[in-house]
Amino acid sequence: MHTLSVDLGERSYPVYIGRDLLSDAALIGQHINGSQVVIVSNDTVAPIYLDKLRAAIGERDLVTEIILPDGEAHKSLATLNEIFDRIMADRHSRSTTLVALGGGVVGDITGFAAACYQRGVNFVQVPTTLLAQVDSSVGGKTAVNHPLGKNMIGAFYQPQAVFIDTNTLQTLPPREFAAGLAEVVKYGLICDEPFYRWLQEHIAKLLAREEAALAEAIERSCASKAAVVAADEREGGLRAILNLGHTFGHAIETAQGYGNWLHGEAVATGMLLAVEMSARRGSIDRVEVEAFRELLLKMQLPVAQPADMTPGQFLDLMGRDKKVIDGRMRLVLLSAIGQAAIVDDASESELTALLETFPRAS
Amino acid sequence: MHTLSVDLGERSYPVYIGRDLLSDAALIGQHINGSQVVIVSNDTVAPIYLDKLRAAIGERDLVTEIILPDGEAHKSLATLNEIFDRIMADRHSRSTTLVALGGGVVGDITGFAAACYQRGVNFVQVPTTLLAQVDSSVGGKTAVNHPLGKNMIGAFYQPQAVFIDTNTLQTLPPREFAAGLAEVVKYGLICDEPFYRWLQEHIAKLLAREEAALAEAIERSCASKAAVVAADEREGGLRAILNLGHTFGHAIETAQGYGNWLHGEAVATGMLLAVEMSARRGSIDRVEVEAFRELLLKMQLPVAQPADMTPGQFLDLMGRDKKVIDGRMRLVLLSAIGQAAIVDDASESELTALLETFPRAS
C-alpha cells in the first residue's frame, strides 16, 4: 500500500493506494468515527462492492445505503435533493459520515451533499473508476451539474480520507478505463514530462491492467494533483492548469448531453485541441501533436470533434465556462510537453480557425 | 456610522451600521469589485429600496435583479434552483458579486447561492429587517430549509461586507420588528447582563423606533455575535450558545409550517421555555422568569406554546435538530442572566413535564 498526503493545513488528508483496501476494516475504521454512516453508491458499483465495504465499515447504530442510478445525467440538484430526503428521513446527525463508493459522479455529488448537510459533515471517498481515483479523489472539488453548464453548483470540501482500491479497476468497462487514462496523461502533459514519456512506453501494460503499472500511474497522477492543489486549494491561479482540455471538453459534454460522451473522452479530444492550438502558436513541435494523437488512439480515446458541432456552438458554450473572468476566456495550453501555460488572448477568429480545420467524426 | 469588524482571519469583514448606508455609493463601491452584480431581494422590500441600492451600485456591465416572493416558505432548494437558473442564463462569471437586499430569508438563500455558484463567488449583505441585522448578518451561516427541518442544507460562508441601514427599520411591519427584538434580547440573556438591563429600561424607546436606541441595540447585538463567532466560526462549541430558545423554536416553526410563526416569535417562546427550565433547575431566580415574560409581552412577542402542539410532537421535532449529537440532545439554558450553559442531560420526562405545564395559546 502507498500513502500520499494531500497537504492543506488543518484540512490535510491521506490518500491510500493499494489492493483490497475496500475490505480493510482496520484502515477504514481509523477514518470513520461516530456511530452513523451513509453509503452512497450507484446501481452498477453497488452489486459488486457494497457488501464488502459494508462489512469493512462494521456495526454502527445507523447505516443508510443510497443507491443512485448510474450516470452523469443524475449528477443534478434533483438527485442531491433525494439524498437529503433520505438522510433527513433517517435522522442522521451532524456527526454522521458520508461515504462515496463509485466513480466521479458519486464522489462529486456525495461530497457536495456532505458539504451542505447541516453545513458540513464528515466525508470519505472510495473511488472505483480510474478517472475518480486520479482526478476527483484529490482536491476537494464537489459539485452537481446545471442544465446550462457542468459542475456549476458546488463547493470546495475536503474528505477525511480517500481509499483507492486498485482491484476495482479489474471490473471497469474498457470505455470507462480509457476515459480515466485521459486524465492520467493530462498530468504528464501539464507538469511531468518524464511521466508522459513513461506513459508512452508503458501504455501496453496499462491497457493490460497490470497491477504494478496501474499503481504507479495512479500514484504519480495523484502526487501531481496533490502538489498543485496544495499550492492553490481554491483555484486562484496555478490550479487552473488542471483544466487542460476541459474548456473544450465541457463544451462537447454540454452539447452532446451529459453521459453521451464520457468526461474523459471529451477531455481527451479537448486536450488534443489544446495541444494542436499550442503547436499552431509555435509553442510545441508538430511531431508532438502527432505522437499525442497516437497515444490517445492507443488508449482508445476519441481524437475528433463531434460531427454535429459548429465552431459557433463551441464558442457559445465555452463562453459559459467557469474559466471566463470578466468576459475574457482563459485557456490552458502547453509551452512544452510537461509544462502548462494559461492564456487569455485567444481570439474568436483563432478558435474558429482551429475548430474549422480540426478533424471531425464522420 | 459605526463599523464593527468580524474577526475571522483572511475571512474577516466589516459590518457598517448607520443611516442611509443603502444609498452610500462610495462605501458600497469599496466592497463590490468586478463588473457583474446579482441583486436578490423580495417583492416586499424591492419596491421600497431596490432603486436606491441599484443607484448606489452604479453602472456595471451586467446586473441581474432577482425578486423572490416574500416569506420563509420560499427558503427552499426549489427557490435556490431558480436563482441558479437566472444567474446561469445571464452567464455570470466567477467574479460576480451576489448582493442580498432583504431579511433573513433573502440573506440566507443568497449567501448559500453565493457559496455554491461556481463553488463560491463574492457576497454582500444589505439586511433590511431587525432580525437579519442582528442575527444572520454576522457569522456566515447560510442555508435553505428541508421539509423535515429548518436550515438543514447550507454552508458556512462569509460575506465581503454587511451594510446595516437603520432607516430601513422605519418601514418594518410591527410584527417583524418584534421578531427582531427577540434576537436582540437573546444577546443580553446569553452573554451581556448590562445590555439586558439596558433593554429593560429602554424598551419604550426601542418600540418607538428611536434612531439612537436602535443603533445602540444593533451594535451591541452584532458585537456580541461577532465575538462569539470569532471564537468559534464553525460551531464547534461556544457558538452553540447563540441557539438559546432555538431548539424549542425550530420545533414550533416546523410544526406550524414555516412562516405561520415568524422565526423571532418562535425563538421568543423557545427562550421563555429555556428560561423557565433554567429556573426549575434552580439556576436562575423565578422572579427573572416573570420579568422576562413581561419584557416579551412589552415587545409584543408570544409567551405561550401553540395550542395544538403536544409534548410528544415537540420531542419528536427537537430530536431532528442539528444540535443532536450521537443521539444526545444539547440544549442551551441559563446559569444566570447574561450567562448561557449548554446541557445534554435533559430527560424526556423533564421536557414532557415542562411542556405539559407551560402556558398554551387559547
Side-chain angles (χ1 to χ4, degrees), chain A residues 63-231:
Chain A
V63 179
T64 300
E65 295 177 357
I66 301 175
I67 313 301
L68 307 176
D70 194 3
E72 183 87 22
H74 303 284
K75 192 172 136 179
S76 63
L77 273 176
T79 305
L80 184 74
N81 202 5
E82 288 167 22
I83 293 174
F84 291 137
D85 287 347
R86 287 288 309 281
I87 306 178
M88 283 295 297
D90 285 357
R91 299 189 180 199
H92 283 267
S93 76
R94 194 180 277 179
S95 59
T96 194
T97 298
L98 269 60
V99 181
L101 171 69
V105 170
V106 167
D108 284 4
I109 197 168
T110 306
F112 189 40
C116 299
Y117 185 62
Q118 304 208 18
R119 300 196 186 91
V121 296
N122 286 337
F123 170 45
V124 159
Q125 291 226 51
V126 187
T128 59
T129 67
L130 182 57
L131 179 62
Q133 289 171 355
V134 300
D135 182 20
S136 49
S137 71
V138 176
K141 276 194 180 181
T142 71
V144 295
N145 298 325
H146 184 275
L148 297 179
K150 202 169 142 65
N151 292 325
M152 279 288 168
I153 302 157
F156 288 95
Y157 198 70
Q158 307 296 341
Q160 267 59 52
V162 178
F163 303 96
I164 297 179
D165 186 333
T166 50
N167 287 8
T168 59
L169 298 181
Q170 301 305 329
T171 55
L172 197 64
R175 203 178 149 195
E176 297 249 3
F177 185 75
L181 287 177
E183 293 281 349
V184 170
V185 73
K186 183 189 78 177
Y187 296 108
L189 287 173
I190 60 173
C191 64
D192 191 349
E193 190 191 353
F195 180 46
Y196 182 75
R197 302 303 174 201
W198 182 91
L199 285 170
Q200 289 180 309
E201 283 169 32
H202 293 78
I203 183 62
K205 289 187 176 180
L206 285 170
L207 289 171
R209 304 194 195 183
E210 287 186 14
E211 161 73 20
L214 289 175
E216 175 79 9
I218 293 167
E219 193 182 351
R220 289 178 78 162
S221 297
C222 289
S224 282
K225 179 146 190 190
V228 171
V229 168

Side-chain angles (χ1 to χ4, degrees), chain A residues 17-52:
Chain A
I17 303 163
R19 290 185 182 184
D20 298 320
L21 298 191
L22 197 67
S23 40
D24 189 334
L27 185 68
I28 289 174
Q30 281 172 35
H31 296 281
I32 302 183
N33 305 312
S35 58
Q36 304 183 339
V37 176
V38 179
I39 307 174
V40 181
S41 190
N42 69 36
D43 55 14
T44 304
V45 172
I48 320 179
Y49 298 113
L50 182 57
D51 286 350
K52 274 189 190 171

Side-chain angles (χ1 to χ4, degrees), chain A residues 35 77 81 85 91 93-95 116 118-119 141-142 146 152-154 235 316 320 322 324 326, chain B residues 35 77 81 85 91 93-95 116 118-119 141-142 146 152-154 235 316 320 322 324 326:
Chain A
S35 58
L77 273 176
N81 202 5
D85 287 347
R91 299 189 180 199
S93 76
R94 194 180 277 179
S95 59
C116 299
Q118 304 208 18
R119 300 196 186 91
K141 276 194 180 181
T142 71
H146 184 275
M152 279 288 168
I153 302 157
E235 203 159 17
D316 183 56
R320 285 194 198 147
K322 289 194 293 299
V324 174
D326 275 336
Chain B
S35 58
L77 273 177
N81 202 4
D85 286 347
R91 300 190 178 196
S93 76
R94 196 179 275 180
S95 59
C116 299
Q118 303 208 19
R119 300 196 186 93
K141 278 194 179 179
T142 71
H146 185 275
M152 278 289 168
I153 301 158
E235 203 158 16
D316 184 57
R320 284 192 198 150
K322 288 194 295 298
V324 174
D326 274 335

Side-chain angles (χ1 to χ4, degrees), chain B residues 274-335:
Chain B
V275 168
E276 170 70 29
M277 188 168 162
S278 304
R280 291 191 189 187
R281 286 181 168 222
S283 305
I284 62 167
D285 201 291
R286 179 139 298 279
V287 74
E288 293 291 0
V289 183
E290 290 315 310
F292 180 50
R293 189 190 308 272
E294 276 173 36
L295 184 57
L296 290 179
L297 284 171
K298 282 182 190 163
M299 290 175 169
Q300 299 173 291
L301 286 164
V303 294
Q305 61 181 315
D308 57 350
M309 276 186 81
T310 62
Q313 195 180 5
F314 255 103
L315 289 175
D316 184 57
L317 292 167
M318 290 167 78
R320 284 192 198 150
D321 199 85
K322 288 194 295 298
K323 270 70 77 181
V324 174
I325 293 184
D326 274 335
R328 291 184 79 85
M329 187 185 301
R330 292 160 79 223
L331 275 178
V332 186
L333 301 180
L334 296 187
S335 54

